[in-house]
Amino acid sequence: MTQVSNNVRRVLMYAMGAWTLALAGCGDRNDASAVTIPPMKVIVVTIGRQPVDLNVDLPGRIEPIRTAEVRARVDGIVEKLLYNEGSDVQAGDPLFQIDPSDYKAQLAQANAMLQRAQAVQKNARSVTDRFRPLVQRQAVSAQEYEAALAALGQAQANVADAQAAVTLAQLRLDRCTVRAPIAGRVGRALVTEGALVSASAATLLAQVNQLSPISATFTKSNTAIMDLTDYARSGALATAEGNTFQVRLTLANGREFGETGVVDFADLSVDRSTGAQTIRARFDNANRELLPGQFVTGQIHIGVRQEGILLRARAARLNGDTATVFVIGPDDTAVAKQIEVGEQIAGNWVVRRGLEAGERVVVDGWHKIRPGQRVEPVEQQNAKP
């Protein structure tokens, strides 16, 4: 029995020794592997300064440069619609015909009154002509001659009054044919044949909008405009000669409009409720593609930053107007840094502040590292404008 116990004890001691050696071996292997793990490889770019275009993207709306409301200027019944709705018209083209019967009668009456006044004037002139030599021979009294002169003057005034009545009657008759006040595209008719229109109520018949050229209006914070102005005055921003700012439009469906416009107006007042100023750009719109009321996005080219910084968009983790990037220090350790970015140019962020020339920024692999971690940076060429 004692011999069996000794054998069991000996076997257990051998097993424990083997287990201890095994654990020691595992620990050695773990320590060796921890020491030999290489630093994480990341792709970095070295920041440099270069000329960068400064563009401002603003939402806007298309508005006609000129618009005219076609309204009734006489009372009457609409007889005919003389145009095709939605067509282009020239100034003076007929649009509506209002029943002219009453106005033709009024014109005829005015002409009759004019003829009667002219007949009275002719008689008064002949009396005056007869009395003139007679009064010199005292065959007619001076009082009679003066009365004849007064009658002539009254007759002449009546003729002028009758001529004005004829002119007014003719104008009313002409206004029975409603014409386009400007050249442009006329919208749908707001009245139909048989409708009663009124001059006193100025009944709206249609609307004409000038589509070529046409304008796009945008609003921009007055503070941002002052910042851009100060930036330009500092010399850091080179603007176009004559301060002509070109504008490109993106339509509501995402397609870029083919023409380039020019800013032709900036409001001199600031909206009290929003603190914004209105900016207007003009486009030729030769194909009548832009229509009043359309929503667009305008990209206004302000100028060129002489010492701008571009950074690949994938290098930054966005948080509103700010972003976080990893900068590699001299000892190849990663440091998180907050920067401010502006607009995008061809997949690159324009860096407003936070980065300096010569800094190395991680563009690929930043999501696998943490601040303070040593990395193996692999240089890649930075973005070009």
Side-chain angles (χ1 to χ4, degrees):
M1 185 68 178
T2 303
Q3 184 176 2
V4 173
S5 299
N6 290 335
N7 291 335
V8 172
R9 188 179 298 110
R10 191 179 296 112
V11 171
L12 292 175
M13 291 179 63
Y14 286 151
M16 292 179 64
W19 185 35
T20 303
L21 290 175
L23 290 176
C26 291
D28 292 342
R29 286 194 298 270
N30 289 337
D31 293 342
S33 62
V35 172
T36 58
I37 292 177
M40 179 76 66
K41 284 188 178 182
V42 293
I43 307 299
V44 301
V45 294
T46 301
I47 297 300
R49 294 190 177 273
Q50 55 191 307
V52 176
D53 289 332
L54 174 60
N55 299 310
V56 176
D57 292 337
L58 297 176
R61 186 189 291 270
I62 300 299
E63 295 181 357
I65 290 180
R66 292 198 301 166
T67 183
E69 293 181 339
V70 182
R71 295 183 178 271
R73 301 179 67 183
V74 294
D75 299 334
I77 303 296
V78 177
E79 284 189 337
K80 294 179 182 178
L81 179 66
L82 304 176
Y83 74 98
N84 293 322
E85 295 174 304
S87 62
D88 291 332
V89 295
Q90 299 298 320
D93 285 353
L95 302 180
F96 297 89
Q97 180 63 54
I98 298 174
D99 182 12
S101 303
D102 293 348
Y103 300 99
K104 288 181 178 179
Q106 291 176 12
L107 178 60
Q109 184 180 22
N111 281 321
M113 293 177 62
L114 176 61
Q115 291 176 0
R116 183 166 55 248
Q118 288 173 338
V120 172
Q121 179 192 32
K122 183 177 179 181
N123 181 65
R125 180 176 289 110
S126 64
V127 171
T128 304
D129 292 341
R130 287 196 306 270
F131 280 9
R132 185 176 294 111
L134 295 177
V135 75
Q136 293 176 355
R137 296 195 302 268
Q138 298 183 350
V140 174
S141 66
Q143 184 178 3
E144 290 178 321
Y145 180 66
E146 290 175 357
L149 290 175
L152 176 60
Q154 185 175 0
Q156 290 174 336
N158 290 337
V159 169
D161 185 47
Q163 287 175 337
V166 170
T167 301
L168 181 59
Q170 185 65 57
L171 284 174
R172 288 172 176 168
L173 179 60
D174 293 341
R175 289 169 182 169
C176 289
T177 302
V178 182
R179 301 181 181 275
I182 61 172
R185 181 165 295 175
V186 60
R188 65 183 181 88
L190 302 179
V191 296
T192 59
E193 292 86 347
L196 175 63
V197 297
S198 170
S200 59
T203 305
L204 182 61
L205 307 179
Q207 184 167 304
V208 181
N209 294 316
Q210 180 178 331
L211 300 184
S212 179
I214 204 168
S215 63
T217 57
F218 312 94
T219 56
K220 180 69 173 174
S221 165
N222 177 250
T223 302
I225 292 178
M226 289 191 294
D227 290 342
L228 289 173
T229 302
D230 293 342
Y231 193 40
R233 289 174 178 172
S234 69
L237 180 66
T239 57
E241 184 177 355
N243 289 330
T244 56
F245 303 109
Q246 294 187 342
V247 184
R248 304 285 298 181
L249 290 182
T250 301
L251 304 180
N253 63 354
R255 181 172 59 86
E256 185 174 334
F257 183 57
E259 297 179 8
T260 300
V262 177
V263 173
D264 66 342
F265 170 77
D267 203 345
L268 299 180
S269 62
V270 179
D271 190 290
R272 294 184 179 182
S273 60
T274 63
Q277 284 181 258
T278 299
I279 301 171
R280 187 182 69 193
R282 177 175 293 204
F283 295 83
D284 289 338
N285 198 27
N287 296 327
R288 309 295 198 275
E289 190 173 352
L290 299 178
L291 299 175
Q294 279 182 322
F295 285 101
V296 294
T297 300
Q299 185 181 77
I300 304 176
H301 181 65
I302 305 299
V304 179
R305 289 188 181 96
Q306 301 298 341
E307 297 290 332
I309 292 177
L310 286 179
L311 180 66
R312 296 185 189 276
R314 65 177 184 270
R317 182 175 60 190
L318 294 182
N319 182 19
D321 290 335
T322 62
T324 302
V325 297
F326 275 102
V327 176
I328 305 303
D331 56 350
D332 290 343
T333 59
V335 178
K337 196 170 187 179
Q338 294 285 331
I339 65 172
E340 183 179 344
V341 296
E343 66 276 8
Q344 274 198 10
I345 300 177
N348 304 305
W349 286 114
V350 176
V351 180
R352 293 178 176 174
R353 58 177 62 89
L355 288 180
E356 299 296 335
E359 290 186 307
R360 295 181 297 171
V361 178
V362 179
V363 294
D364 285 320
W366 56 266
H367 57 286
K368 299 179 181 179
I369 61 177
R370 63 183 183 275
Q373 180 179 342
R374 291 181 61 86
V375 297
E376 181 182 346
V378 178
E379 186 72 27
Q380 189 177 69
Q381 188 176 7
N382 196 11
K384 295 294 182 181

